[in-house]
Amino acid sequence: MSSAFDLALRAEQLGQLGRLAEAERAAREALAVDPENPRLLGTLSSTLLLAERYDEGLAVAEAACAAGPGLERPHRLRALHLSMLGRHAEAVQAGYAAVTIEPAEPAAAHGYAKVLQRAGRPLDAVRVATRVVELDPDSASAHLLLADVASDLKDRRHRELARREYETTLRIDPENAAAKHDLALLDARSRRPAKALAGLVQAGRLDPAMPQVLRTVVAVLWQLSWRVRIWLIVGTFPALAVAATPAVVVRSYAGFVLVATAALGWWTSRDLPRGTWPVLRRAVTTDRPLTVTYAALALCLLVYLSVVVTGFGLAAVAVWILLIALGWLAVFVRVVRRAPR
Amino acid sequence: MTDPLLTSLLAAVEAAPADVPLRLHVAELLLSRDRAAEALQHTSTALSHAPGDPAALALLQKVTKALADPPNPPTNPLPTVHPPTQPFPVRSLPQPTEGDPAAFDWGHAEEQVRDISPAPAFVAQEGDPVTEDVERATRPSVRLADVGGMEQVKERLELSFLGPVRNPEMARAFGKSAGGGLLLYGPPGCGKTFLARAVAGELGASFTEIGIADILDMWVGNSERNLRAVFDAARRKAPHVLFFDEVDALGQKRSHLTHSSTLRNTVNTLLAEMSGENAGVYVLGATNHPWDIDSALRRPGRFDRMLLVLPPDEGARAAILRQNLEKRPVEGIDLAKLVKATGHFSGADLTHLCDTAAERALADSMRTGQVRPLTMKDLQAALAEVRPSTGPWFATARNVALFADHDGSYDDLAAYLKKHRRL
């Protein structure tokens, strides 16, 4: 029969492999042998944290704290469970207890930074995450943590810090899909949608099971559609202004709009990796309002094409109508999606 | 039957167990007296004291040959072995006395323990149940013909794996390697393990299923040792199919295992063992998440062929449903209708469906006290409860086909998803 210590080691190993049911079983078997052991309680609590069973995990973490009040890990686990349950004030206290017990332990500081981040204290989180990097400079997860907490702050200095840290993470661990995804998100926020799309496709390749990649691609495509709408709104003013001029002028201007739109499209998509188009097509069809938006934008370009063919400048009014309708649609979608459920 | 020389020499061996030349001399004497089993024990003990000793190795060969080809019943009397005229070169032998173990009646003792089977010459190390599994593995009787439906999978299996293995020369002529492993992937419960058994049956090879629990050990270095032992045992047992179930756990991307050097080393060992000399060892793996496997494991010589095992097609569903229902009291089952209604159900889902329907009929029978056969109504009610468990897998698989098919690895998957309008 395996000893409680063996079983705890096994539980931790299985937890690392994501086999949470087996890890939980091993941890509970170990606890049946030695129910007061804080290390075993910590192992079970950590497994429950990975399994997102925070209520149960918190109870076990509290038992671990009672069994070993001088140990750092039970306090850290308690803090993380409390944080996930939205009990931020208690979580911060527990996290602080963990770093007080072992100030030089990177895992303790890592947990505390996460707790501070979720508690809405990004500046403090950045300070603690910086300490994590100092304690463990070669760890990709330490740099990723600092990048994540820094990216929560909107100012330029922290954005630059986040970008540097994401890049360091990827230098240490080039296959880190989370870092790739988050860096792409940062690019999207910095209004670099093409770069963001390229990063997202690479993140998807590194970890195709990551569900948020396609959602982020949809968000970036909304951002791109906004750019195209702005360009078409701006472009339609002169189109209407020249509507009464000779047909050759009207045709030339409509042709210019089409060529400029194509050039903008090429400029945006020139660095996209191979195999991006199926992803974009899928993303557009996943989100119905986005499908409608891109269909309407394609219709706007068809209107311009008809102007090139017919020389009838007033047809550009249809572009205005379509863009106004799209504006309303975007407002409606935004309101509905931001409404609390 | 006492032999004073041998008796005294055996006593000497017992007094000086580490004396290799003495033990070998005794073993030779035992062999010459047709006591090869005892000679083998002494030779093995001598080898454990002096591994690689040329005299011991030569004697071991003689002893094993004697054991393999037992001599014909002697027609002539055995040649007499004369006691050495000179004292034994290593030590002078003590004279046996009355109270000595040398005076012990070995013949009588042998009579007493005759019914006890002799211990194996090389005892398997304790804690190696997985090696024992390989040693005891048998050839599965199941063949591909026993797999209901799944014609496409069987055809691809034949073309990409079984064909080259059966015709290595022809495969080589076309630049295809007969070596390397086969990775079966697909949603859970769709018969990957059964297919692997059928492959072993087709190859006429013994089969061992290796799970993560057989390999992983919490102590540093033991997981790697277990893995090496499994491959060594399989090489001794060739032709042998080693089937790694849920291979994504053992061969996870090393970049995901930065916090565990043990697990990383296990992946490295798996890579090394798969690249080694594995003549007659066919390595098969099964996973629900091939995208989580370390890319090095998919390189030539390792799991260089992938086969998508999809939920059972109509033929396979009919076979599974029939198998699940035939031992139960049934009435008016429209199998064709049932097959149509169970698209995307895995084999395990179909079994669950039949069990749920059977539970309803059983509950009814218990209420009324009379056996009521299972009907279509029970199955339709069960259909409302049991949903195909393959849904979440296909949700992830869709992302995989979108993002990760840049090298064509998932072409089969993409084609299936397109055909079923899921991509």
Side-chain angles (χ1 to χ4, degrees), chain A residues 75-110:
Chain A
H75 291 281
R76 178 183 8 128
L77 287 164
R78 183 169 171 265
L80 290 168
H81 282 293
L82 283 165
S83 172
M84 294 312 291
L85 289 166
R87 291 161 63 180
H88 297 300
E90 294 165 84
V92 170
Q93 273 188 340
Y96 186 70
V99 287
T100 310
I101 292 167
E102 283 210 37
E105 170 58 50
H110 194 119

Side-chain angles (χ1 to χ4, degrees), chain A residues 23 53 103 160 296 307:
Chain A
R53 285 157 57 190
E160 287 309 312
V307 174

Side-chain angles (χ1 to χ4, degrees), chain B residues 3-11 25-26 29-30 33 35 106:
Chain B
D3 181 337
L5 172 68
L6 205 51
T7 311
S8 61
L9 283 174
L10 283 166
H25 182 65
V26 169
L29 279 179
L30 284 165
R33 282 158 173 72
R35 289 161 70 177
W106 286 99

Side-chain angles (χ1 to χ4, degrees), chain B residues 164-207:
Chain B
V165 168
R166 285 193 191 117
N167 308 290
E169 296 298 327
M170 200 183 288
R172 217 168 290 129
F174 282 89
K176 294 283 280 183
S177 155
L182 174 72
L183 184 65
L184 305 169
Y185 79 100
C190 289
K192 294 186 280 290
T193 306
F194 191 67
L195 266 176
R197 277 185 184 282
V199 168
E202 288 291 329
L203 293 171
S206 47
F207 176 89

Side-chain angles (χ1 to χ4, degrees), chain A residues 3-336:
Chain A
S3 72
F5 181 68
D6 290 355
L7 286 165
L9 278 175
R10 182 160 189 81
E12 279 172 21
Q13 206 172 41
L14 289 165
Q16 281 166 349
L17 284 173
R19 301 173 77 92
L20 302 181
E22 289 163 71
E24 186 185 343
R25 206 164 37 242
R28 287 194 191 278
E29 272 178 47
L31 277 167
V33 179
D34 189 359
E36 299 286 309
N37 187 321
R39 176 173 178 177
L40 300 183
L41 288 163
T43 302
L44 178 59
S45 178
S46 121
T47 308
L48 293 169
L49 183 71
L50 291 170
E52 300 180 8
R53 285 157 57 190
Y54 307 119
D55 279 316
E56 292 167 71
L58 176 61
V60 180
E62 282 176 346
C65 287
L71 298 173
E72 168 273 322
R73 192 174 178 224
H75 291 281
R76 178 183 8 128
L77 287 164
R78 183 169 171 265
L80 290 168
H81 282 293
L82 283 165
S83 172
M84 294 312 291
L85 289 166
R87 291 161 63 180
H88 297 300
E90 294 165 84
V92 170
Q93 273 188 340
Y96 186 70
V99 287
T100 310
I101 292 167
E102 283 210 37
E105 170 58 50
H110 194 119
Y112 189 38
K114 279 270 173 211
V115 164
L116 285 167
Q117 184 190 24
R118 285 200 204 101
R121 291 169 56 180
L123 274 172
D124 291 332
V126 167
R127 264 199 293 276
V128 178
T130 308
R131 175 80 182 131
V132 178
V133 170
E134 284 166 9
L135 291 171
D136 197 0
D138 297 328
S139 154
S141 67
H143 289 279
L144 182 60
L145 171 79
L146 179 54
D148 270 345
V149 293
S151 69
D152 286 348
L153 291 156
K154 307 291 177 213
D155 60 287
R156 192 190 170 94
R157 187 172 67 88
H158 282 102
R159 277 203 178 167
E160 287 309 312
L161 172 66
R163 181 175 297 282
R164 272 199 312 275
E165 290 302 319
Y166 281 130
E167 284 164 359
T168 309
T169 307
L170 287 166
R171 208 163 36 244
I172 297 170
D173 176 9
E175 291 193 19
N176 195 315
K180 202 83 181 156
H181 172 269
D182 292 355
L183 182 59
L185 201 60
L186 198 65
D187 281 327
R189 283 189 198 152
S190 312
R191 296 191 177 78
R192 294 183 222 178
K195 205 172 171 196
L197 281 177
L200 288 169
V201 170
Q202 283 163 2
R205 281 180 187 170
L206 290 173
D207 187 0
M210 200 159 64
Q212 64 267 42
V213 175
L214 201 61
R215 284 203 297 270
T216 314
V217 172
V218 168
V220 176
L221 287 176
W222 271 109
Q223 197 181 35
L224 267 176
S225 80
W226 176 248
R227 281 189 172 191
V228 180
R229 276 180 283 160
I230 294 288
W231 155 242
L232 287 177
I233 286 171
V234 172
T236 308
F237 279 116
L240 290 172
V242 298
T245 58
V248 65
V249 179
V250 173
R251 280 184 170 149
S252 303
Y253 181 73
F256 163 74
V257 170
L258 285 175
V259 170
T261 309
L264 277 175
W266 171 81
W267 181 258
T268 308
S269 61
R270 73 192 192 285
D271 290 330
L272 291 182
R274 261 186 68 220
T276 304
W277 289 110
V279 176
L280 300 186
R281 210 169 39 237
R282 176 72 206 164
V284 169
T285 52
T286 300
D287 188 343
R288 287 285 158 222
L290 190 64
T291 316
V292 172
T293 301
Y294 275 91
L297 290 173
L299 210 57
C300 291
L301 295 178
L302 276 177
V303 170
Y304 271 107
L305 193 63
S306 75
V307 174
V308 172
V309 173
T310 62
F312 181 59
L314 279 177
V317 174
V319 173
W320 269 93
I321 294 168
L322 281 167
L323 291 174
I324 289 167
L326 283 183
W328 280 109
L329 176 70
V331 170
F332 176 74
V333 169
R334 204 181 172 89
V335 169
V336 168

Side-chain angles (χ1 to χ4, degrees), chain B residues 124-162:
Chain B
Q125 260 189 299
E126 264 185 54
D128 272 352
V130 65
T131 319
E132 283 171 28
D133 284 351
V134 178
E135 308 285 0
R136 290 181 193 154
T138 53
R139 291 175 184 180
S141 54
V142 61
R143 306 289 292 266
L144 277 184
D146 300 317
V147 180
M150 302 176 89
E151 296 307 326
Q152 265 191 322
V153 173
K154 286 192 265 186
E155 192 183 326
R156 284 187 51 79
L157 198 51
E158 187 65 49
L159 285 176
S160 66
F161 188 73
L162 291 171

Side-chain angles (χ1 to χ4, degrees), chain A residues 5-6 9-10 13-14 16-17 19 141 173 175 200-201 204-206 208-211 213-214 278-279 282, chain B residues 212-213 216-219 246 249 252-253 255 259-260 262-263 291 396 398-400 402-404 406 422-423:
Chain A
F5 181 68
D6 290 355
L9 278 175
R10 182 160 189 81
Q13 206 172 41
L14 289 165
Q16 281 166 349
L17 284 173
R19 301 173 77 92
S141 67
D173 176 9
E175 291 193 19
L200 288 169
V201 170
R205 281 180 187 170
L206 290 173
M210 200 159 64
V213 175
L214 201 61
V279 176
R282 176 72 206 164
Chain B
I212 178 177
L216 273 195
D217 192 291
M218 46 273 178
W219 299 109
E246 298 185 272
Q252 206 169 89
K253 279 182 184 167
S255 58
H259 293 295
S260 174
T262 303
L263 293 171
W291 42 88
T396 306
R398 199 173 59 192
N399 275 1
V400 172
L402 263 182
F403 289 105
H406 46 97
R422 287 182 176 221
L423 192 65

